[in-house]
Amino acid sequence: RGKRAFIAGVADDNGYGWAIAKSLAAAGAEILVGTWVPALNIFETSLRRGKFDESRVLPDGSLMEITKVYPLDAVFDSLEDVPEDIKTNKRYAGSSKWTVSEVAESVKEDFGSIDILVHSLANGPEVTKPLLETTRRGYLAAISASSYSYVSLLKHFLPIMNPGMYLVSRGSSISLTYIASERIIPGYGGGMSSAKAALESDTRVLAFEAGRKQKVRVNTVSAGPLRSRAAKAIGFIDMMIDYSLANAPLQKELSADEVGNTAAFLASPLASAITGAVIYVDNGLNAMGVGV
Ligand code: NAI
């Protein structure tokens, strides 16, 4: 049977989540997505009206099918965690069962199991502020939405992830990180650099725990700059793309598909011995010591 993937963090056709969904679909996987509750309406409407049809085209000419879109807010683990003002918020009240544990429960009810879990989401309300000017609240919000959201997703989905047989694990989990976790990238503020450092460290620890418990592999892709919705909100994305073009070993703009294809590789048996790894998909920019 083909594999089934749940991709958290798809709300348009411009980000890495969409590209990963396409690469997995092209490789034969069934696609489920988790969409941030406030973005759900417009995403589903656009999907239905065919606004994404051009970007749904797969290499064989067919269109990517998304079997089901789940509303998701990855900063809440269960209904008890949701404050009153969110519960009654107009954009949230129209949907239900969007906390992490409830989404995992719904996917279990609908499909029984998944093989691939993708975390392609981040949020740092103070991302435009330098770390020295970041508030405790902003810092913790960045960690909650961008790092713990992954721990929580894996924790709740792991019991329904297929462990596979013999030596080859079938279950695999992937997140997206950024080199600002390990090198200074001025402008990536608000504790987002800290959040990515936590995500990468957690990738190693979770690889051990999920590997021992369920033979599930856990890796993260350190991606180069892409003009996604989230990246445009940071404000320095064009500069980062230009910097990469000028300085990376490969002088070409990074395409989201290149990250998607790496995710498909990591989720495949071709990567059966790869776990706990940070894989760079950045035209090699991470290997440079100085700008040229
Ligand atoms: P994107 O805007 O396509 O994806 C971010 C998604 O996160 C959006 O769909 C947004 O609705 C969702 N989201 C935010 N808060 C959420 C919450 N509480 N619950 C559920 N969903 C929530 O942007 P992009 O850039 O493709 O981001 C995907 C991942 O790639 C992120 O982890 C990002 O940090 C990472 N990345 C992006 C780079 C870039 O240059 N765009 C570079 C390296 C990593």
Side-chain angles (χ1 to χ4, degrees):
R1 159 180 95 63
K3 289 184 180 171
R4 183 177 297 121
F6 181 85
I7 301 146
V10 180
D12 59 39
D13 59 350
N14 294 316
Y16 283 132
W18 177 271
I20 292 171
K22 275 182 74 175
S23 292
L24 292 174
E30 175 175 23
I31 306 299
L32 315 176
V33 306
T35 301
W36 196 28
V37 189
L40 182 73
N41 236 329
I42 178 142
F43 179 63
E44 284 195 307
T45 308
S46 306
L47 205 54
R48 202 169 346 104
R49 294 195 181 148
K51 207 189 140 212
F52 301 135
D53 282 0
E54 243 173 78
S55 13
R56 281 174 61 208
V57 180
L58 299 175
D60 71 356
S62 69
L63 294 189
M64 167 173 72
E65 289 299 337
I66 298 178
T67 305
K68 190 160 178 181
V69 178
Y70 292 85
L72 167 70
D73 195 321
V75 306
F76 302 112
D77 301 318
S78 63
L79 200 54
E80 299 89 77
D81 299 337
V82 184
E84 214 43 47
D85 61 318
I86 301 248
K87 266 185 198 150
T88 54
N89 181 307
K90 212 173 75 212
R91 295 160 95 189
Y92 281 80
S95 309
S96 59
K97 296 193 176 171
W98 39 258
T99 67
V100 176
S101 62
E102 292 171 297
V103 174
E105 196 51 47
S106 301
V107 172
K108 183 182 176 183
E109 268 167 35
D110 295 343
F111 299 97
S113 66
I114 64 165
D115 303 288
I116 303 163
L117 174 68
V118 179
H119 175 280
S120 182
L121 64 96
N123 198 8
E126 298 181 12
V127 65
T128 56
K129 284 191 198 166
L131 191 53
L132 270 178
E133 283 159 36
T134 298
T135 66
R136 183 181 300 269
R137 197 191 163 96
Y139 183 97
L140 294 177
I143 296 273
S144 173
S146 315
S147 316
Y148 189 78
S149 58
Y150 184 51
V151 177
S152 178
L153 271 168
L154 188 56
K155 167 187 183 156
H156 289 99
F157 275 90
L158 194 61
I160 63 162
M161 288 182 77
N162 290 316
M165 295 171 80
Y166 306 110
L167 294 175
V168 179
S169 91
R170 187 175 167 102
S172 155
S173 178
I174 295 153
S175 67
L176 274 297
T177 186
Y178 185 48
I179 190 146
S181 59
E182 45 175 323
R183 299 278 183 261
I184 302 163
I185 310 279
Y188 197 71
M192 278 306 299
S193 56
S194 332
K196 291 306 192 189
L199 183 70
E200 290 173 26
S201 180
D202 294 346
T203 297
R204 293 181 282 271
V205 177
L206 293 170
F208 175 76
E209 296 180 0
R212 290 297 174 92
K213 199 170 182 172
Q214 194 103 336
K215 292 201 185 82
V216 164
R217 294 181 294 105
V218 181
N219 294 294
T220 188
V221 171
S222 185
L226 173 76
R227 220 177 265 101
S228 65
R229 190 186 168 95
K232 280 191 263 181
I234 304 173
F236 70 172
I237 188 65
D238 291 313
M239 201 183 96
M240 286 301 145
I241 291 172
D242 291 346
Y243 183 88
S244 182
L245 267 177
N247 295 290
L250 301 177
Q251 291 192 284
K252 60 179 177 62
E253 192 153 325
L254 183 69
S255 131
D257 294 346
E258 294 175 295
V259 168
N261 291 339
T262 303
F265 158 71
L266 286 173
S268 81
L270 295 174
S272 57
I274 304 180
T275 192
V278 178
I279 306 286
Y280 296 94
V281 183
D282 65 348
N283 286 321
L285 186 63
N286 73 90
M288 297 298 295
V290 292
V292 287

